[in-house]
Amino acid sequence: MYNDKELNGRIDSGIFGSYLWMGIGLLITFGIMYASIYNLQLVQISFTLNRFSILLILAIAIGMRFIIVKANAFVLKLVFIGYSAFLGILLIPIMFAYETASIMTLFGASSAMFIGMSAYGYFTGSNLQGYSKYLFGGILGIIVMTLLNNYLFRNNALDIAISIIGLLIFIIYTAVDTQRIKTMLLEAYYEGETELVEKVKIFGALMLYLDFINMFLYLLSLFGKRRN
């Protein structure tokens, strides 16, 4: 059993591990997006996959839920790397739809928001986990409204409203997920399972990665400057 100081140190180390893997995921994703400027084959693959993007994302989300429960930490790392690469390919059209300066500026804005909300989630004494069910419900609502707007309404004002709500949801989710990782690591260390600690690091990295990516995409939708 660890004393309080040692336990806090291990939790900090675990959270740092999640941030490190999140950073690796973002580096892979945005590295592939940038590489597409010089690789026509990547662009062709991206436009082919985007025809089935909704089905692919749903299938991967369901598959990863199963893998996270059943797989060991090493497999989870491979899956996370593969998912980061896949999303990088899927998001390639962004590089051709928006100006590079705009992408970089909003990436920086996303980073600032992420750091601020993650710090709040880590240091706050309030229990944020009660918000999870409402946030998840909000995501389901956004998915439904996005599908209806894309294929039925085609309303620009509704699209803006969806982006604003989506941005707010993932800003809050960043704090909630940071606190959740902290709690999961605490439970894993109390159980004394090293493998579980490693799995929590990767699962935490995935949550934070998705929070950041969605925050960035909604900011881009709202404020991104498109190419002429």
Side-chain angles (χ1 to χ4, degrees):
M1 186 64 66
Y2 308 108
N3 59 47
D4 289 345
K5 185 176 180 180
E6 186 178 6
L7 184 60
N8 288 334
R10 288 179 177 271
I11 290 173
D12 288 345
S13 177
I15 291 177
F16 177 77
S18 287
Y19 285 127
L20 180 61
W21 275 100
M22 172 203 164
I24 291 172
L26 290 176
L27 187 63
I28 292 170
T29 299
F30 285 92
I32 289 174
M33 289 169 63
Y34 181 77
S36 69
I37 298 174
Y38 308 99
N39 191 321
L40 182 60
Q41 189 174 6
L42 277 176
V43 178
Q44 292 172 338
I45 292 172
S46 177
F47 278 96
T48 300
L49 289 177
N50 267 279
R51 297 175 187 173
F52 314 99
S53 59
I54 294 176
L55 291 176
L56 286 170
I57 290 172
L58 288 175
I60 289 172
I62 293 170
M64 287 188 72
R65 180 176 292 273
F66 175 80
I67 291 170
I68 285 169
V69 175
K70 300 294 183 180
N72 59 37
F74 178 74
V75 173
L76 283 182
K77 290 174 183 177
L78 294 179
V79 170
F80 179 67
I81 290 171
Y83 182 74
S84 301
F86 168 78
L87 206 58
I89 294 173
L90 208 60
L91 296 179
I92 281 174
I94 286 174
M95 300 300 296
F96 299 90
Y98 295 92
E99 293 183 0
T100 302
S102 181
I103 292 173
M104 294 177 65
T105 299
L106 293 174
F107 182 89
S110 300
S111 300
M113 288 182 181
F114 178 87
I115 292 170
M117 291 306 295
S118 190
Y120 174 76
Y122 181 83
F123 290 109
T124 184
S126 303
N127 185 357
L128 304 177
Q129 300 311 300
Y131 295 108
S132 295
K133 57 184 178 182
Y134 302 110
L135 294 171
F136 183 71
I139 289 175
L140 293 179
I142 284 177
I143 292 172
V144 171
M145 291 307 300
T146 299
L147 291 174
L148 289 174
N149 197 41
N150 287 345
Y151 297 104
L152 187 61
F153 303 139
R154 301 181 185 277
N155 186 296
N156 289 335
L158 181 57
D159 191 49
I160 293 172
I162 290 171
S163 295
I164 293 172
I165 295 170
L167 177 61
L168 291 174
I169 285 175
F170 284 101
I171 286 174
I172 298 170
Y173 241 134
T174 299
V176 173
D177 284 341
T178 300
Q179 189 179 78
R180 184 181 179 190
I181 296 167
K182 189 176 179 180
T183 301
M184 290 169 67
L185 284 168
L186 180 62
E187 293 173 352
Y189 278 118
Y190 268 125
E191 292 181 18
E193 296 186 23
T194 304
E195 178 70 12
L196 181 58
V197 171
E198 291 301 313
K199 289 179 68 171
V200 169
K201 288 179 184 179
I202 304 304
F203 181 59
L206 176 62
M207 291 192 296
L208 295 174
Y209 170 90
L210 291 174
D211 291 337
F212 183 93
I213 288 291
N214 279 286
M215 200 185 302
F216 167 74
L217 291 177
Y218 282 122
L219 276 175
L220 197 63
S221 175
L222 288 167
F223 304 111
K225 187 175 182 180
R226 291 184 174 272
R227 295 181 185 273
N228 296 326

